Amino acid sequence: MDIVVNEELKAYIDPLTPDEYEALERSLLAEGCRDALVLWGDVLVDGHNRYGICRKHGLPFQTVQNTRFQSIEDVHLWMIDQHLGRRSVSDFQRGVLALRKREIVASRRERAKAAPAEDAGAAPPEAAAPLPKNESLDSREALARAARLKSSQVVMIEKIQQSAAPEVVAAVKSGEITLSAAAAVASLPVEEQTAAAAAGKDELKQAAKRVREGKRKPARESSEEAGSAESAVPPGEDEVAALRKRVRELEAENAALRKQVLTLLGKPGQSAAPASAPGEDADAPF
């Protein structure tokens, strides 16, 4: 059988790094190709690197047909699930694959809703195979579970996918910068992202630091403004009522003290003179 290499399928998953490719080549030369290549008809689905290396060195290999594929979407979903389960796939790659899976699953759901009710009992000519794990991925929590990531990581990967310049994406794929740094840089204009990437990974890290510091400064200023505004707000009705009550209590205490003073002086019924203010003559007569 002539095996057909579909370039779209070959590029659907990120290629191996040069080091990973060399390690795979050494393994195949030492141990042979132990895992069968997966085919859909005559189209190669899984094993593009092994196929290329085996042809290069004339190594024998086995093939196996996956008879459950009924559409290219089935192939994509299977490829995604295979790579999501591999430990060698980076966090960023797993997040991207989970986002691709969400798009496929959502597209299938929309097509199913749009199908005419009268045709519900008849299977379409290219009905999707009932592949496992095609659960809803609408929430970030579901995406995080599918990709074995944290929800915060999924948020960062979405931002990178949507806003990052290709050079920044390449940097996070290669491990030059972290997910959080790439997501921070992705908030800059594309021209600034490209310039930072051209200057190297250290400049990318510095750019991410500047973005984070710029976000923290307005947050501190807002907090200070909120504190000032609170201090400037006049007391509410409950506070005013409490203050009036305290004034009445103090007035009653003062009246009681005046009575006690008059009693001690032997002048019942007379009002006591006001107490001397600080700095007045303490010996002044009543």
Side-chain angles (χ1 to χ4, degrees):
M1 174 190 291
D2 292 331
I3 295 178
V4 175
V5 175
N6 182 307
E7 292 300 326
E8 186 269 336
L9 285 180
K10 184 179 179 180
Y12 194 69
I13 304 296
D14 286 339
L16 299 178
T17 65
D19 290 343
E20 291 170 337
Y21 187 89
E22 289 177 8
L24 176 62
E25 188 172 28
R26 288 195 299 269
S27 175
L28 292 177
L29 289 172
E31 304 175 13
C33 187
R34 295 180 296 179
D35 297 326
L37 310 181
V38 179
L39 301 178
W40 177 32
D42 58 355
V43 177
L44 181 60
V45 172
D46 185 59
H48 290 88
N49 293 299
R50 284 175 286 139
Y51 177 62
I53 294 171
C54 287
R55 290 193 62 188
K56 176 181 176 182
H57 297 284
L59 302 176
F61 57 85
Q62 301 293 322
T63 62
V64 62
Q65 286 284 339
N66 191 320
T67 58
R68 301 181 69 187
F69 298 147
Q70 297 183 30
S71 69
I72 193 66
E73 282 186 345
D74 294 340
V75 175
H76 287 162
L77 287 170
W78 184 87
M79 293 174 71
I80 289 170
D81 285 338
Q82 290 296 304
H83 282 78
L84 283 175
R86 292 176 180 171
R87 289 179 294 179
S88 60
V89 179
S90 70
D91 289 347
F92 179 73
Q93 289 174 314
R94 285 203 303 274
V96 170
L97 291 172
L99 290 170
R100 288 180 183 174
K101 183 174 181 178
R102 179 179 68 179
E103 291 177 2
I104 296 172
V105 173
S107 176
R108 283 189 166 182
R109 188 186 304 119
E110 290 302 316
R111 290 202 303 272
K113 289 180 180 178
E118 59 270 18
D119 294 338
E126 290 189 1
L131 296 178
K133 299 183 181 179
N134 284 358
E135 69 279 1
S136 172
L137 298 174
D138 292 337
S139 69
R140 288 199 177 102
E141 290 74 16
L143 276 173
R145 286 193 298 270
R148 292 183 289 123
L149 298 171
K150 297 178 181 177
S151 296
S152 58
Q153 290 175 303
V154 172
V155 173
M156 289 187 286
I157 292 170
E158 284 184 296
K159 184 173 183 179
I160 295 167
Q161 284 284 92
Q162 294 169 359
S163 306
E167 295 84 355
V168 176
V169 174
V172 73
K173 281 183 177 180
S174 65
E176 290 185 356
I177 57 174
T178 63
L179 279 177
S180 60
V185 174
S187 64
L188 295 171
V190 175
E191 296 79 8
E192 292 185 32
Q193 296 183 45
T194 303
K201 64 179 181 181
D202 289 338
E203 178 56 29
L204 279 172
K205 293 176 182 177
Q206 288 300 315
K209 183 179 179 181
R210 289 193 294 271
V211 171
R212 295 187 186 113
E213 289 176 348
K215 289 181 178 178
R216 282 195 289 266
K217 185 176 179 181
R220 287 195 299 268
E221 291 175 351
S222 298
S223 177
E224 292 171 359
E225 289 175 1
S228 300
E230 287 181 3
S231 62
V233 173
E237 293 182 4
D238 292 341
E239 294 179 48
V240 171
L243 289 171
R244 287 174 177 169
K245 180 181 178 182
R246 181 60 180 157
V247 168
R248 288 195 297 270
E249 291 174 351
L250 291 172
E251 289 176 344
E253 289 177 9
N254 287 337
L257 288 172
R258 284 196 292 271
K259 282 185 178 181
Q260 291 178 11
V261 170
L262 290 173
T263 300
L264 290 173
L265 294 175
K267 300 178 180 180
Q270 295 186 21
S271 298
S276 300
E280 295 180 357
D281 186 357
D283 294 328
F286 285 96

